[in-house]
PDB file of all heavy atoms in Angstrom:
ATOM      1  N   VAL A   1      25.249   2.006 -31.422  1.00  0.00           N
ATOM      2  CA  VAL A   1      25.790   0.838 -30.697  1.00  0.00           C
ATOM      3  C   VAL A   1      25.289   0.772 -29.275  1.00  0.00           C
ATOM      4  O   VAL A   1      24.650  -0.214 -28.875  1.00  0.00           O
ATOM      5  CB  VAL A   1      27.329   0.865 -30.699  1.00  0.00           C
ATOM      6  CG1 VAL A   1      27.873  -0.333 -29.932  1.00  0.00           C
ATOM      7  CG2 VAL A   1      27.880   0.864 -32.134  1.00  0.00           C
ATOM      8  N   ALA A   2      25.543   1.795 -28.467  1.00  0.00           N
ATOM      9  CA  ALA A   2      25.271   1.743 -27.043  1.00  0.00           C
ATOM     10  C   ALA A   2      23.805   1.468 -26.737  1.00  0.00           C
ATOM     11  O   ALA A   2      23.460   0.542 -26.005  1.00  0.00           O
ATOM     12  CB  ALA A   2      25.755   3.031 -26.369  1.00  0.00           C
ATOM     13  N   VAL A   3      22.929   2.292 -27.308  1.00  0.00           N
ATOM     14  CA  VAL A   3      21.485   2.162 -26.974  1.00  0.00           C
ATOM     15  C   VAL A   3      20.885   0.866 -27.576  1.00  0.00           C
ATOM     16  O   VAL A   3      20.173   0.147 -26.859  1.00  0.00           O
ATOM     17  CB  VAL A   3      20.715   3.389 -27.464  1.00  0.00           C
ATOM     18  CG1 VAL A   3      19.229   3.191 -27.285  1.00  0.00           C
ATOM     19  CG2 VAL A   3      21.153   4.635 -26.664  1.00  0.00           C
ATOM     20  N   PRO A   4      21.186   0.514 -28.848  1.00  0.00           N
ATOM     21  CA  PRO A   4      20.633  -0.770 -29.350  1.00  0.00           C
ATOM     22  C   PRO A   4      21.150  -1.987 -28.568  1.00  0.00           C
ATOM     23  O   PRO A   4      20.359  -2.916 -28.338  1.00  0.00           O
ATOM     24  CB  PRO A   4      21.142  -0.808 -30.803  1.00  0.00           C
ATOM     25  CG  PRO A   4      21.318   0.625 -31.180  1.00  0.00           C
ATOM     26  CD  PRO A   4      21.802   1.298 -29.934  1.00  0.00           C
ATOM     27  N   VAL A   5      22.418  -1.995 -28.160  1.00  0.00           N
ATOM     28  CA  VAL A   5      22.924  -3.134 -27.384  1.00  0.00           C
ATOM     29  C   VAL A   5      22.224  -3.216 -26.037  1.00  0.00           C
ATOM     30  O   VAL A   5      21.846  -4.286 -25.558  1.00  0.00           O
ATOM     31  CB  VAL A   5      24.447  -3.046 -27.228  1.00  0.00           C
ATOM     32  CG1 VAL A   5      24.951  -4.079 -26.235  1.00  0.00           C
ATOM     33  CG2 VAL A   5      25.135  -3.244 -28.582  1.00  0.00           C
ATOM     34  N   PHE A   6      22.053  -2.050 -25.387  1.00  0.00           N
ATOM     35  CA  PHE A   6      21.315  -2.046 -24.113  1.00  0.00           C
ATOM     36  C   PHE A   6      19.905  -2.569 -24.344  1.00  0.00           C
ATOM     37  O   PHE A   6      19.395  -3.371 -23.525  1.00  0.00           O
ATOM     38  CB  PHE A   6      21.265  -0.655 -23.551  1.00  0.00           C
ATOM     39  CG  PHE A   6      20.273  -0.509 -22.410  1.00  0.00           C
ATOM     40  CD1 PHE A   6      20.579  -0.995 -21.144  1.00  0.00           C
ATOM     41  CD2 PHE A   6      19.045   0.105 -22.611  1.00  0.00           C
ATOM     42  CE1 PHE A   6      19.675  -0.899 -20.096  1.00  0.00           C
ATOM     43  CE2 PHE A   6      18.150   0.211 -21.559  1.00  0.00           C
ATOM     44  CZ  PHE A   6      18.452  -0.301 -20.313  1.00  0.00           C
ATOM     45  N   ALA A   7      19.233  -2.131 -25.401  1.00  0.00           N
ATOM     46  CA  ALA A   7      17.874  -2.597 -25.681  1.00  0.00           C
ATOM     47  C   ALA A   7      17.840  -4.099 -25.890  1.00  0.00           C
ATOM     48  O   ALA A   7      16.898  -4.781 -25.459  1.00  0.00           O
ATOM     49  CB  ALA A   7      17.344  -1.866 -26.904  1.00  0.00           C
ATOM     50  N   PHE A   8      18.865  -4.630 -26.540  1.00  0.00           N
ATOM     51  CA  PHE A   8      18.919  -6.071 -26.796  1.00  0.00           C
ATOM     52  C   PHE A   8      18.942  -6.834 -25.475  1.00  0.00           C
ATOM     53  O   PHE A   8      18.276  -7.852 -25.336  1.00  0.00           O
ATOM     54  CB  PHE A   8      20.152  -6.408 -27.652  1.00  0.00           C
ATOM     55  CG  PHE A   8      20.372  -7.884 -27.817  1.00  0.00           C
ATOM     56  CD1 PHE A   8      19.607  -8.619 -28.683  1.00  0.00           C
ATOM     57  CD2 PHE A   8      21.352  -8.534 -27.050  1.00  0.00           C
ATOM     58  CE1 PHE A   8      19.817  -9.998 -28.849  1.00  0.00           C
ATOM     59  CE2 PHE A   8      21.567  -9.901 -27.208  1.00  0.00           C
ATOM     60  CZ  PHE A   8      20.791 -10.622 -28.097  1.00  0.00           C
ATOM     61  N   PHE A   9      19.725  -6.383 -24.492  1.00  0.00           N
ATOM     62  CA  PHE A   9      19.822  -7.074 -23.227  1.00  0.00           C
ATOM     63  C   PHE A   9      18.648  -6.784 -22.294  1.00  0.00           C
ATOM     64  O   PHE A   9      18.365  -7.580 -21.407  1.00  0.00           O
ATOM     65  CB  PHE A   9      21.149  -6.741 -22.544  1.00  0.00           C
ATOM     66  CG  PHE A   9      22.332  -7.396 -23.155  1.00  0.00           C
ATOM     67  CD1 PHE A   9      23.257  -6.679 -23.880  1.00  0.00           C
ATOM     68  CD2 PHE A   9      22.529  -8.771 -23.040  1.00  0.00           C
ATOM     69  CE1 PHE A   9      24.367  -7.288 -24.459  1.00  0.00           C
ATOM     70  CE2 PHE A   9      23.623  -9.393 -23.603  1.00  0.00           C
ATOM     71  CZ  PHE A   9      24.541  -8.656 -24.327  1.00  0.00           C
ATOM     72  N   ALA A  10      17.982  -5.620 -22.470  1.00  0.00           N
ATOM     73  CA  ALA A  10      16.967  -5.220 -21.506  1.00  0.00           C
ATOM     74  C   ALA A  10      15.532  -5.579 -21.956  1.00  0.00           C
ATOM     75  O   ALA A  10      14.647  -5.757 -21.115  1.00  0.00           O
ATOM     76  CB  ALA A  10      17.029  -3.700 -21.276  1.00  0.00           C
ATOM     77  N   ALA A  11      15.319  -5.714 -23.254  1.00  0.00           N
ATOM     78  CA  ALA A  11      13.954  -5.899 -23.750  1.00  0.00           C
ATOM     79  C   ALA A  11      13.529  -7.339 -23.869  1.00  0.00           C
ATOM     80  O   ALA A  11      12.342  -7.624 -24.147  1.00  0.00           O
ATOM     81  CB  ALA A  11      13.819  -5.216 -25.111  1.00  0.00           C
ATOM     82  N   GLY A  12      14.439  -8.266 -23.614  1.00  0.00           N
ATOM     83  CA  GLY A  12      14.114  -9.682 -23.798  1.00  0.00           C
ATOM     84  C   GLY A  12      13.349 -10.288 -22.643  1.00  0.00           C
ATOM     85  O   GLY A  12      13.876 -11.152 -21.919  1.00  0.00           O
ATOM     86  N   VAL A  13      12.141  -9.857 -22.452  1.00  0.00           N
ATOM     87  CA  VAL A  13      11.317 -10.391 -21.360  1.00  0.00           C
ATOM     88  C   VAL A  13      10.591 -11.644 -21.839  1.00  0.00           C
ATOM     89  O   VAL A  13      10.012 -11.677 -22.931  1.00  0.00           O
ATOM     90  CB  VAL A  13      10.292  -9.319 -20.887  1.00  0.00           C
ATOM     91  CG1 VAL A  13       9.447  -8.812 -22.042  1.00  0.00           C
ATOM     92  CG2 VAL A  13       9.434  -9.883 -19.770  1.00  0.00           C
ATOM     93  N   SER A  14      10.623 -12.678 -21.006  1.00  0.00           N
ATOM     94  CA  SER A  14       9.923 -13.925 -21.308  1.00  0.00           C
ATOM     95  C   SER A  14       8.513 -13.861 -20.745  1.00  0.00           C
ATOM     96  O   SER A  14       8.351 -13.692 -19.523  1.00  0.00           O
ATOM     97  CB  SER A  14      10.701 -15.103 -20.716  1.00  0.00           C
ATOM     98  OG  SER A  14       9.930 -16.299 -20.825  1.00  0.00           O
ATOM     99  N   LEU A  15       7.545 -13.964 -21.612  1.00  0.00           N
ATOM    100  CA  LEU A  15       6.161 -13.896 -21.155  1.00  0.00           C
ATOM    101  C   LEU A  15       5.806 -15.053 -20.226  1.00  0.00           C
ATOM    102  O   LEU A  15       5.058 -14.900 -19.278  1.00  0.00           O
ATOM    103  CB  LEU A  15       5.206 -13.835 -22.341  1.00  0.00           C
ATOM    104  CG  LEU A  15       5.402 -12.624 -23.264  1.00  0.00           C
ATOM    105  CD1 LEU A  15       4.396 -12.665 -24.414  1.00  0.00           C
ATOM    106  CD2 LEU A  15       5.254 -11.330 -22.496  1.00  0.00           C
ATOM    107  N   SER A  16       6.343 -16.214 -20.526  1.00  0.00           N
ATOM    108  CA  SER A  16       6.065 -17.379 -19.651  1.00  0.00           C
ATOM    109  C   SER A  16       6.784 -17.216 -18.333  1.00  0.00           C
ATOM    110  O   SER A  16       6.264 -17.543 -17.270  1.00  0.00           O
ATOM    111  CB  SER A  16       6.483 -18.665 -20.333  1.00  0.00           C
ATOM    112  OG  SER A  16       7.877 -18.621 -20.646  1.00  0.00           O
ATOM    113  N   GLY A  17       7.996 -16.656 -18.372  1.00  0.00           N
ATOM    114  CA  GLY A  17       8.782 -16.440 -17.157  1.00  0.00           C
ATOM    115  C   GLY A  17       8.148 -15.388 -16.270  1.00  0.00           C
ATOM    116  O   GLY A  17       8.350 -15.375 -15.064  1.00  0.00           O
ATOM    117  N   ALA A  18       7.382 -14.490 -16.853  1.00  0.00           N
ATOM    118  CA  ALA A  18       6.731 -13.440 -16.074  1.00  0.00           C
ATOM    119  C   ALA A  18       5.400 -13.910 -15.494  1.00  0.00           C
ATOM    120  O   ALA A  18       4.611 -13.112 -14.982  1.00  0.00           O
ATOM    121  CB  ALA A  18       6.494 -12.211 -16.949  1.00  0.00           C
ATOM    122  N   GLY A  19       5.138 -15.212 -15.544  1.00  0.00           N
ATOM    123  CA  GLY A  19       3.892 -15.760 -15.007  1.00  0.00           C
ATOM    124  C   GLY A  19       2.788 -15.770 -16.013  1.00  0.00           C
ATOM    125  O   GLY A  19       1.622 -15.970 -15.665  1.00  0.00           O
ATOM    126  N   GLY A  20       3.124 -15.561 -17.288  1.00  0.00           N
ATOM    127  CA  GLY A  20       2.115 -15.518 -18.326  1.00  0.00           C
ATOM    128  C   GLY A  20       1.638 -14.107 -18.567  1.00  0.00           C
ATOM    129  O   GLY A  20       1.679 -13.251 -17.681  1.00  0.00           O
ATOM    130  N   LEU A  21       1.202 -13.880 -19.789  1.00  0.00           N
ATOM    131  CA  LEU A  21       0.780 -12.514 -20.176  1.00  0.00           C
ATOM    132  C   LEU A  21      -0.424 -12.085 -19.362  1.00  0.00           C
ATOM    133  O   LEU A  21      -0.524 -10.908 -18.973  1.00  0.00           O
ATOM    134  CB  LEU A  21       0.461 -12.489 -21.668  1.00  0.00           C
ATOM    135  CG  LEU A  21       0.132 -11.125 -22.260  1.00  0.00           C
ATOM    136  CD1 LEU A  21       1.293 -10.146 -22.032  1.00  0.00           C
ATOM    137  CD2 LEU A  21      -0.196 -11.235 -23.738  1.00  0.00           C
ATOM    138  N   GLY A  22      -1.361 -12.991 -19.073  1.00  0.00           N
ATOM    139  CA  GLY A  22      -2.545 -12.608 -18.310  1.00  0.00           C
ATOM    140  C   GLY A  22      -2.190 -12.111 -16.919  1.00  0.00           C
ATOM    141  O   GLY A  22      -2.717 -11.094 -16.441  1.00  0.00           O
ATOM    142  N   ALA A  23      -1.301 -12.845 -16.241  1.00  0.00           N
ATOM    143  CA  ALA A  23      -0.874 -12.400 -14.893  1.00  0.00           C
ATOM    144  C   ALA A  23      -0.159 -11.059 -14.929  1.00  0.00           C
ATOM    145  O   ALA A  23      -0.344 -10.205 -14.067  1.00  0.00           O
ATOM    146  CB  ALA A  23       0.017 -13.460 -14.261  1.00  0.00           C
ATOM    147  N   ALA A  24       0.662 -10.873 -15.966  1.00  0.00           N
ATOM    148  CA  ALA A  24       1.394  -9.608 -16.093  1.00  0.00           C
ATOM    149  C   ALA A  24       0.451  -8.437 -16.319  1.00  0.00           C
ATOM    150  O   ALA A  24       0.627  -7.360 -15.753  1.00  0.00           O
ATOM    151  CB  ALA A  24       2.408  -9.687 -17.253  1.00  0.00           C
ATOM    152  N   LEU A  25      -0.568  -8.642 -17.143  1.00  0.00           N
ATOM    153  CA  LEU A  25      -1.487  -7.554 -17.454  1.00  0.00           C
ATOM    154  C   LEU A  25      -2.385  -7.215 -16.266  1.00  0.00           C
ATOM    155  O   LEU A  25      -2.940  -6.116 -16.224  1.00  0.00           O
ATOM    156  CB  LEU A  25      -2.350  -7.943 -18.654  1.00  0.00           C
ATOM    157  CG  LEU A  25      -1.614  -8.086 -19.993  1.00  0.00           C
ATOM    158  CD1 LEU A  25      -2.577  -8.470 -21.111  1.00  0.00           C
ATOM    159  CD2 LEU A  25      -0.872  -6.809 -20.347  1.00  0.00           C
ATOM    160  N   ARG A  26      -2.513  -8.118 -15.311  1.00  0.00           N
ATOM    161  CA  ARG A  26      -3.320  -7.822 -14.113  1.00  0.00           C
ATOM    162  C   ARG A  26      -2.485  -7.191 -13.012  1.00  0.00           C
ATOM    163  O   ARG A  26      -3.038  -6.704 -12.028  1.00  0.00           O
ATOM    164  CB  ARG A  26      -3.970  -9.114 -13.575  1.00  0.00           C
ATOM    165  CG  ARG A  26      -5.054  -9.671 -14.492  1.00  0.00           C
ATOM    166  CD  ARG A  26      -5.823 -10.778 -13.773  1.00  0.00           C
ATOM    167  NE  ARG A  26      -4.952 -11.924 -13.454  1.00  0.00           N
ATOM    168  CZ  ARG A  26      -4.763 -12.958 -14.260  1.00  0.00           C
ATOM    169  NH1 ARG A  26      -5.333 -13.002 -15.453  1.00  0.00           N
ATOM    170  NH2 ARG A  26      -3.975 -13.949 -13.886  1.00  0.00           N
ATOM    171  N   ASP A  27      -1.183  -7.204 -13.135  1.00  0.00           N
ATOM    172  CA  ASP A  27      -0.295  -6.646 -12.114  1.00  0.00           C
ATOM    173  C   ASP A  27      -0.412  -5.121 -12.126  1.00  0.00           C
ATOM    174  O   ASP A  27      -0.302  -4.494 -13.164  1.00  0.00           O
ATOM    175  CB  ASP A  27       1.139  -7.068 -12.412  1.00  0.00           C
ATOM    176  CG  ASP A  27       2.088  -6.760 -11.245  1.00  0.00           C
ATOM    177  OD1 ASP A  27       1.839  -5.761 -10.536  1.00  0.00           O
ATOM    178  OD2 ASP A  27       3.047  -7.497 -11.067  1.00  0.00           O
ATOM    179  N   PRO A  28      -0.616  -4.509 -10.966  1.00  0.00           N
ATOM    180  CA  PRO A  28      -0.705  -3.019 -10.910  1.00  0.00           C
ATOM    181  C   PRO A  28       0.559  -2.321 -11.410  1.00  0.00           C
ATOM    182  O   PRO A  28       0.490  -1.179 -11.861  1.00  0.00           O
ATOM    183  CB  PRO A  28      -0.982  -2.724  -9.445  1.00  0.00           C
ATOM    184  CG  PRO A  28      -0.582  -3.972  -8.687  1.00  0.00           C
ATOM    185  CD  PRO A  28      -0.854  -5.100  -9.633  1.00  0.00           C
ATOM    186  N   VAL A  29       1.712  -3.011 -11.316  1.00  0.00           N
ATOM    187  CA  VAL A  29       2.942  -2.413 -11.853  1.00  0.00           C
ATOM    188  C   VAL A  29       2.812  -2.246 -13.367  1.00  0.00           C
ATOM    189  O   VAL A  29       3.109  -1.178 -13.939  1.00  0.00           O
ATOM    190  CB  VAL A  29       4.176  -3.279 -11.485  1.00  0.00           C
ATOM    191  CG1 VAL A  29       5.385  -2.823 -12.306  1.00  0.00           C
ATOM    192  CG2 VAL A  29       4.454  -3.188 -10.009  1.00  0.00           C
ATOM    193  N   THR A  30       2.375  -3.304 -14.036  1.00  0.00           N
ATOM    194  CA  THR A  30       2.179  -3.241 -15.495  1.00  0.00           C
ATOM    195  C   THR A  30       1.147  -2.197 -15.877  1.00  0.00           C
ATOM    196  O   THR A  30       1.360  -1.376 -16.767  1.00  0.00           O
ATOM    197  CB  THR A  30       1.731  -4.614 -16.052  1.00  0.00           C
ATOM    198  OG1 THR A  30       2.627  -5.631 -15.584  1.00  0.00           O
ATOM    199  CG2 THR A  30       1.689  -4.608 -17.551  1.00  0.00           C
ATOM    200  N   ILE A  31       0.021  -2.216 -15.155  1.00  0.00           N
ATOM    201  CA  ILE A  31      -1.062  -1.258 -15.442  1.00  0.00           C
ATOM    202  C   ILE A  31      -0.612   0.159 -15.190  1.00  0.00           C
ATOM    203  O   ILE A  31      -0.863   1.077 -16.003  1.00  0.00           O
ATOM    204  CB  ILE A  31      -2.300  -1.601 -14.586  1.00  0.00           C
ATOM    205  CG1 ILE A  31      -2.838  -2.985 -14.912  1.00  0.00           C
ATOM    206  CG2 ILE A  31      -3.389  -0.540 -14.794  1.00  0.00           C
ATOM    207  CD1 ILE A  31      -3.903  -3.484 -13.983  1.00  0.00           C
ATOM    208  N   GLY A  32       0.086   0.398 -14.065  1.00  0.00           N
ATOM    209  CA  GLY A  32       0.545   1.746 -13.740  1.00  0.00           C
ATOM    210  C   GLY A  32       1.531   2.282 -14.738  1.00  0.00           C
ATOM    211  O   GLY A  32       1.454   3.441 -15.140  1.00  0.00           O
ATOM    212  N   VAL A  33       2.469   1.431 -15.189  1.00  0.00           N
ATOM    213  CA  VAL A  33       3.481   1.875 -16.160  1.00  0.00           C
ATOM    214  C   VAL A  33       2.803   2.195 -17.483  1.00  0.00           C
ATOM    215  O   VAL A  33       3.051   3.253 -18.096  1.00  0.00           O
ATOM    216  CB  VAL A  33       4.572   0.785 -16.332  1.00  0.00           C
ATOM    217  CG1 VAL A  33       5.453   1.123 -17.535  1.00  0.00           C
ATOM    218  CG2 VAL A  33       5.424   0.699 -15.083  1.00  0.00           C
ATOM    219  N   ALA A  34       1.956   1.277 -17.977  1.00  0.00           N
ATOM    220  CA  ALA A  34       1.301   1.477 -19.263  1.00  0.00           C
ATOM    221  C   ALA A  34       0.380   2.696 -19.223  1.00  0.00           C
ATOM    222  O   ALA A  34       0.385   3.521 -20.145  1.00  0.00           O
ATOM    223  CB  ALA A  34       0.504   0.242 -19.660  1.00  0.00           C
ATOM    224  N   ALA A  35      -0.414   2.842 -18.148  1.00  0.00           N
ATOM    225  CA  ALA A  35      -1.311   3.978 -18.041  1.00  0.00           C
ATOM    226  C   ALA A  35      -0.535   5.296 -17.932  1.00  0.00           C
ATOM    227  O   ALA A  35      -0.924   6.331 -18.481  1.00  0.00           O
ATOM    228  CB  ALA A  35      -2.233   3.815 -16.832  1.00  0.00           C
ATOM    229  N   GLY A  36       0.604   5.234 -17.234  1.00  0.00           N
ATOM    230  CA  GLY A  36       1.435   6.432 -17.121  1.00  0.00           C
ATOM    231  C   GLY A  36       1.948   6.895 -18.462  1.00  0.00           C
ATOM    232  O   GLY A  36       1.958   8.103 -18.773  1.00  0.00           O
ATOM    233  N   LEU A  37       2.400   5.948 -19.290  1.00  0.00           N
ATOM    234  CA  LEU A  37       2.957   6.294 -20.611  1.00  0.00           C
ATOM    235  C   LEU A  37       1.845   6.753 -21.579  1.00  0.00           C
ATOM    236  O   LEU A  37       2.007   7.739 -22.294  1.00  0.00           O
ATOM    237  CB  LEU A  37       3.685   5.106 -21.185  1.00  0.00           C
ATOM    238  CG  LEU A  37       5.000   4.712 -20.536  1.00  0.00           C
ATOM    239  CD1 LEU A  37       5.525   3.410 -21.111  1.00  0.00           C
ATOM    240  CD2 LEU A  37       6.054   5.814 -20.686  1.00  0.00           C
ATOM    241  N   ILE A  38       0.724   6.038 -21.580  1.00  0.00           N
ATOM    242  CA  ILE A  38      -0.313   6.346 -22.557  1.00  0.00           C
ATOM    243  C   ILE A  38      -1.131   7.578 -22.147  1.00  0.00           C
ATOM    244  O   ILE A  38      -1.310   8.512 -22.938  1.00  0.00           O
ATOM    245  CB  ILE A  38      -1.265   5.125 -22.711  1.00  0.00           C
ATOM    246  CG1 ILE A  38      -0.480   3.909 -23.200  1.00  0.00           C
ATOM    247  CG2 ILE A  38      -2.389   5.466 -23.703  1.00  0.00           C
ATOM    248  CD1 ILE A  38      -1.268   2.617 -23.128  1.00  0.00           C
ATOM    249  N   VAL A  39      -1.619   7.567 -20.919  1.00  0.00           N
ATOM    250  CA  VAL A  39      -2.496   8.658 -20.450  1.00  0.00           C
ATOM    251  C   VAL A  39      -1.695   9.790 -19.801  1.00  0.00           C
ATOM    252  O   VAL A  39      -1.886  10.965 -20.085  1.00  0.00           O
ATOM    253  CB  VAL A  39      -3.559   8.121 -19.483  1.00  0.00           C
ATOM    254  CG1 VAL A  39      -4.469   9.237 -19.020  1.00  0.00           C
ATOM    255  CG2 VAL A  39      -4.347   7.008 -20.132  1.00  0.00           C
ATOM    256  N   GLY A  40      -0.780   9.387 -18.888  1.00  0.00           N
ATOM    257  CA  GLY A  40      -0.059  10.387 -18.116  1.00  0.00           C
ATOM    258  C   GLY A  40       0.778  11.339 -18.937  1.00  0.00           C
ATOM    259  O   GLY A  40       0.753  12.542 -18.767  1.00  0.00           O
TER     260      GLY A  40
END
């Protein structure tokens, strides 16, 4: 219950609201987080 409900409220990111997927993928925050998880 607790973790799935939190995920439901936290994971609903709007790609258009984030400035579009292209803008998000160019943001160093996105790149740093993804690179940290995959490589780091």
Side-chain angles (χ1 to χ4, degrees):
V1 178
V3 174
V5 171
F6 168 76
F8 173 77
F9 285 109
V13 56
S14 172
L15 298 181
S16 59
L21 186 59
L25 294 179
R26 291 191 297 270
D27 191 328
V29 168
T30 308
I31 297 171
V33 169
L37 290 172
I38 300 168
V39 180

